Every structure is written in structure tokens, then in C-alpha cells.
Amino acid sequence: MAAPVTARTDHLIGGERITGSGERIDVVNPATEEVIASVPAGTAEEADAAVRAAAEAFPAWAATPVAERAAILARVREGMKERFDELAATITAEVGTPITFASKAQVPNPLGIAKGVLAELAAGFPAEEEIGNSLVVREPVGVVAAITPWNFPLQQIVAKIVPALAVGCTVVLKPSEVAPLTAGLLAEIVEAAGVPAGVFNVVHGTGPVVGEALVSHPLVDMVSFTGSTGAGRRVSALAAESVKRVALELGGKSANVILDDADLARSVKLGVAYCYLNNGQACTAWSRMLVPADRHDEAVEIAAAAAAKYAPGDPASPETRLGPVVSAAQRERVVGYIRKGVEEGATLALGGPEAPEGVERGYFVRPTVFGDVSPEMTIAQEEIFGPVLSVIPYRDEDEAVRIANSTIYGLAAGVFSADTERAMAVARRLRAGSIDINGGAFNTQAPFGGYKQSGNGREFGRHGMEEFTEVKAIQR
Ligand code: NAD
């Protein structure tokens, strides 16, 4: 079973560890259904105290020389490297991420993101610009409320707090109440790196209580939110009252567009892997596979055979490729979508709503593949967030592009073709923020974010740092 979880679970407010007012939220290991820890159910008062601490710490942190901020953040990155195994084991214990994926992506990606930010600082970010008689400078936006989900609990936090702190903002983090332990470990690392009191604060708790208190707070200058599109809408509406800047990284229903000249076996197998990333719980998951109609049956057969190799099992075991989904509620949601797919007439090629065989406990879902999915079906439109693939046939390239662009989302996509130029031309027609051609590797320095209801703004690298700055023009 997973390594014991050692993370601190209290709030961090103004440099003080605060145990909270009494009520607690249990953290459950989704593979064992056991309670492994609990965190305080934070209150609006605790959120307020953290915001005040961040506001008080802001002027001095903003005025701290860049080299000093960079040295502290380099220590944060070193701390993550030193505690790599602990971080990976904690993610596996609270999210159910297979340990192999936690070690190959969930911890390395944040290290890459932090490295990119440090490189930008070293290269002189933010550069000043002359426009006519104006000097244009970038300054930190101020106090940032960072609100994050459970599925990549380290990456999503690092993608916000490292660039925000780097440019001179102070931060109040509200991590997901479903997976708050990774945030607890990171808070220890940040403290040990010498980040001054009040510059980085953590308040545990639920979205409606702590999240909304932060979003509505008059001393918060910016909200950086990652989560579901529904919660993102609510955050936007609340933030609009005080005209706060809001950056949103929301849901997705990404298409894998396999063109008629692609290597079908390779593109379908990779497509299944990208759909099932993190047990199907990745915002970028290629949950729709678009295939030429005359190769649909062959594609479904390859997909079902590839998906069948994802036997549900203990995520702490290095052999496991498919762990549980994060909670009982999430399992109900995913199984509900599988039933809906059957009801709406899609062909169930693998899996189904029944509990998988061979696992007695845990929130497991059968790896599922649907064929003959039409673009208007629920399973082709809504984010399922589980190991469920929808294979959709198309007649020609124009129709493939039209179907790919036919959801409210626009986060990511894949394009496969024997002709890279052809794939590039299709990539340019897709309304999504991040497109991989023939399995192009994830890049933690390139801007990451969504079109349409997948969000506003970009994370990672220079683009991610710009999000946390204000632009000032000084005329002479
Ligand atoms: P969620 O929206 O339920 O919760 C995300 C965070 O928002 C949590 O910390 C939660 O407590 C908080 N929250 C919820 N309601 C709130 C409110 N009214 N006000 C303020 N905060 C509130 O999402 P989740 O279930 O934790 O995560 C899964 C979702 O996140 C999926 O939709 C996924 O696509 C999305 N996601 C997007 C990206 C991206 O980069 N685009 C990355 C990962 C996950």
C-alpha cells in the first residue's frame, strides 16, 4: 500500500500554523476507501486573516530584489526535488494516480514549470519597453487568491504560486479539499525555503466557504482558478462585483483527430493512453477520438484492445496503469455517463457501468470504450472525467474539424497524420489552446490554457508570469 502520509494539515496564515476552528474535512484514499488524514474546514474569518497577511506582506515582497526572490524560489524547487518520492506517494494516496504516472509526470512537470520561471527571471523578466515617449513597465498585480483542483494537486499549485511569487505578488492558496495533503507538503517546502511570513498563505476548506470568501475579498487583486467550468462561472460572477482580474483554467472535451493517412494503430493506442491519463481525470484528456468513417470499426477494435490492458488495480503498485477515480461521487458521475452513452445508442465496445472484477474496494470504474458515437450525444459533449473514450466517425477533413470544434470547450487536441504540414494546417483550424501533432511531448514552458469555456488566460513560462503583472506606461 501507499507510503504513510506525513504532510502537515493545518492552515498557514501570516507565517503561523493555525489548527482551525474545530470542524474538519476527511481525506480519503480512493483505492482503499480509508480516511488517511483530515484538514480544517476553514472559515471566512480565516480566509480574511490570510488575505490581510498577504496584503501586509505585499509591499516588501514586491520591493525585494529579483535575485533574492529567485534564490528563494530555487530553494523551493530544490525542496520539491529532495521530497520527490514523498510528493509522488502523497499524490497517489489522495488522488489514486498510479505511482508510475505520479513519478513520471505529476512531480516532474512542476519541476519543469518552476525551472522555466527561474530561467525567465534570470533572462530579465519582466523586460521594460519604450513606446514613443513612454516607458512601459510590468509590476506585480498584488494579492493573488489561488484556487486549485485535486487532479494534479502539485502541478496546478506550482503553476500559480511560483510565477506569482516570482514577479512579486503575495498569495493565498486554497487547495482542493479532496486532495489537500500535497499542498500541505508543498507548504512545508515553501516555509523551509525561507519565504517571508505572509508572502505565501494556505487556507484549507471548501469552495463555497473559503473559496468564495477569497474571491469576494476587497483586498484580493486577482483570482487564479483551476477547476470545473461550473465553479469557474461562479468565481467569475463573484469576482465581477469588485472587477478583479480572473484567470481561469477550466474543463475540457479534447478531440484526437486521426486523419486518413495516419498510422492508425499508433494513433489509436496513443489516443487511448491520453484519454486514460490519471485514470481519465486530466483536463486535457483526449476523450473524443475522431476517425475516418471507413476505418471506424478497425479503430474501435484497436482502441478496445489497447484499453483492455488498463486493468484497474492498486495505484501504489508500479505495474498498475489504471487506478480508481477520486471519490464515490466521481464514480457515480462517471458510471452515470456510461449509462447515458448506452441509452443514447452508442456501441459499448469495452467496459460498462458495472464494478470491475478483481478489486474489492476502491472507487474503480471499468476502462470503457464507446464506438458509433455521434457528435451531439452527451458523451461527446460533456466532460466525463473518468476512463471513458468516445470514438466518433467523420466523413472528411472539414467535418472532422467541425466536430472537433463543436463543444463548449477548447482546451487541447491531438492531430495525427503521415504529413506533418497537413496536420499543422488542421491544428491551426482547431479552436483549442494546446495541440499535439503525432504525439508531440507536453511542454512546461509553452503557454497552457483554453479557448471558449475552457477558460481565460495562460499558465507556464513567460505567458504564465505575465498573467500576474500589471502594465504601467510612464510618459516623459
Ligand atoms: P471543482 O471546480 O469542483 O473545484 C476546484 C476548486 O475550486 C476546489 O478548490 C474547490 O474547492 C473550489 N471551488 C468550488 N466551488 C467554488 C466556488 N463556488 N467558489 C470558489 N471556489 C470554489 O473542480 P475539481 O472537481 O476539483 O477538479 C476537476 C475539474 O477541474 C475538471 O473540470 C477539470 O477539467 C478541471 N481542470 C482544469 C485544468 C486546466 O488547466 N484547464 C486542470 C485541471 C483540472
Side-chain angles (χ1 to χ4, degrees):
M1 254 356 297
V5 171
T6 55
R8 297 195 60 143
T9 55
D10 31 20
H11 304 307
L12 175 63
I13 300 176
E16 302 287 327
R17 288 291 184 167
I18 311 281
T19 323
S21 52
E23 254 189 80
R24 307 209 40 107
I25 301 171
D26 285 342
V27 184
V28 176
N29 178 325
T32 64
E33 304 185 28
E34 280 161 11
V35 175
I36 51 173
S38 70
V39 292
T43 61
E45 292 70 33
E46 286 159 345
D48 174 63
V51 172
R52 286 180 190 284
E56 204 169 301
F58 174 66
W61 181 247
T64 300
V66 172
E68 214 172 298
R69 291 203 300 258
I72 292 175
L73 291 172
R75 288 201 289 277
V76 171
R77 185 169 180 275
E78 277 310 305
M80 290 196 286
K81 274 168 81 177
E82 278 161 23
R83 300 183 73 175
F84 187 108
D85 291 345
E86 220 180 322
L87 286 163
T90 303
I91 293 168
T92 293
E94 64 180 354
V95 181
T97 299
I99 188 69
T100 310
F101 185 67
S103 307
K104 275 199 190 150
Q106 290 238 11
V107 185
N109 289 350
L111 290 172
I113 293 167
K115 190 175 180 181
V117 169
L118 290 167
E120 287 292 340
L121 285 183
F125 183 94
E128 297 186 344
E129 197 186 346
E130 304 268 358
I131 301 180
N133 67 323
S134 303
L135 178 69
V136 180
V137 299
R138 283 186 179 271
E139 297 178 348
V141 68
V143 174
V144 173
I147 301 178
T148 53
W150 46 263
N151 61 329
F152 284 70
L154 186 65
Q155 176 170 325
Q156 285 137 357
I157 294 173
V158 167
K160 298 184 187 317
I161 70 162
V162 171
L165 296 174
V167 303
C169 295
T170 55
V171 174
V172 180
L173 167 69
K174 192 210 83 64
S176 168
E177 65 278 28
V178 179
L181 303 177
T182 310
L185 275 185
L186 184 66
E188 288 174 31
I189 292 168
V190 172
E191 274 184 300
V195 174
V199 168
F200 173 68
N201 306 274
V202 181
V203 184
H204 290 287
T206 66
V209 178
V210 176
E212 295 198 9
L214 294 175
V215 174
S216 313
H217 202 292
L219 294 179
V220 168
D221 298 289
M222 171 176 172
V223 180
S224 179
F225 175 88
T226 299
S228 59
T229 294
R233 278 189 205 110
R234 172 80 180 141
V235 165
S236 295
L238 282 176
E241 291 291 319
S242 49
V243 199
K244 282 185 179 54
R245 184 182 303 182
V246 179
L248 300 170
E249 298 286 344
L250 307 177
K253 189 73 190 175
S254 298
N256 176 15
V257 182
I258 301 178
L259 297 177
D260 55 12
D261 62 350
D263 174 342
L264 192 70
R266 177 173 180 272
S267 46
V268 168
K269 282 182 200 159
L270 251 174
V272 169
Y274 274 48
C275 177
Y276 285 6
L277 278 182
N278 204 38
N279 313 328
Q281 303 163 125
C283 52
T284 52
W286 295 347
S287 51
R288 295 182 296 153
M289 183 181 284
L290 275 51
V291 299
D294 59 359
R295 304 199 70 182
H296 167 271
D297 294 355
E298 201 186 335
V300 169
E301 200 175 308
I302 299 168
K309 295 195 176 130
Y310 284 77
D314 177 4
S317 157
E319 277 86 51
T320 297
R321 296 173 81 187
L322 190 71
V325 295
V326 79
S327 62
Q330 186 67 13
R331 180 177 56 189
E332 281 318 299
R333 231 181 125 237
V334 174
V335 164
Y337 275 115
I338 297 174
R339 290 206 180 93
K340 190 90 184 161
V342 174
E343 270 165 40
E344 290 186 356
T347 307
L348 190 59
L350 183 81
E354 305 82 14
E357 284 158 16
V359 280
E360 263 104 68
R361 291 178 308 170
Y363 309 124
F364 289 94
V365 176
R366 285 177 181 235
T368 296
V369 175
F370 279 110
D372 300 304
V373 178
S374 59
E376 63 282 356
M377 285 181 186
T378 308
I379 55 167
Q381 288 293 325
E382 295 185 13
E383 184 180 51
I384 297 176
F385 235 52
V388 182
L389 176 69
S390 298
V391 182
I392 306 174
Y394 68 81
R395 282 189 306 270
D396 56 31
E397 199 173 291
D398 284 347
E399 191 184 40
V401 169
R402 193 179 52 71
I403 296 170
N405 289 337
S406 71
T407 74
I408 60 167
Y409 297 111
L411 189 58
V415 183
F416 284 85
S417 169
D419 176 352
T420 311
E421 287 310 307
R422 186 179 169 206
M424 279 297 276
V426 170
R428 288 179 191 276
R429 296 174 69 192
L430 298 179
R431 304 278 301 159
S434 185
I435 322 271
D436 302 337
I437 289 179
N438 292 329
F442 189 65
N443 182 354
T444 56
Q445 317 305 313
F448 177 86
Y451 283 39
K452 300 191 277 182
Q453 294 190 33
S454 287
N456 295 314
R458 294 293 179 269
E459 294 193 318
F460 306 173
R462 178 171 54 76
H463 292 82
M465 293 165 84
E466 285 172 355
E467 295 271 327
F468 296 103
T469 62
E470 281 285 9
V471 180
K472 180 182 280 176
I474 306 168
Q475 287 62 244
R476 297 159 292 183

